[in-house]
Amino acid sequence: MDITVAAEEAGTVVGIVGSLDTVTAPDAQAVLDQAIADGATTLVVDCQELAYISSAGLRILLVAAKKVRPLGGQVRMCNLSPMVRDVFDISGFTAILPVFPSRAEALTGLSWADPNGRYGPFPPTHAAVYVG
């Protein structure tokens, strides 16, 4: 896994290459923690080259979001591959973290919000149906 960090006017972009899993999550957590310690409140996680994410990877994103939220910040995701997007959809993370199709849209923060407080660049591609 490789991680890049770039401060931009609208936020700090964190690019992740490779896999974000149990082995690599501690290093990624350290990078996110350092960015927050350096004053970043809006973190844009660019997943264009993220091949795989496990629950350990999801956890560090949630931890970062909880750290920046009291500061008025947000963790925004962008450029999710179909496989990574499926993990976000199935785990419910698309209802927790805003997901954008591009880095530019994530930096501008353009998104929709529905009455249930879910947000993102477009409505969910599918909804869970409960049969009881």
Side-chain angles (χ1 to χ4, degrees), residues 1 19 39 41 57 68 107 126:
M1 176 194 67
S19 295
T41 56
V68 297
L107 285 167
H126 56 278

Side-chain angles (χ1 to χ4, degrees), residues 45 58 61-62 64-66 69 74-77 88 92-100 119-120:
V45 181
L58 292 172
L61 297 173
L62 184 60
K66 287 183 176 185
R69 193 167 289 140
Q74 189 176 53
V75 173
R76 301 173 184 170
M77 308 301 297
F88 270 70
F93 267 65
T94 49
I96 299 169
L97 300 175
V99 177
F100 297 86
Y119 47 89

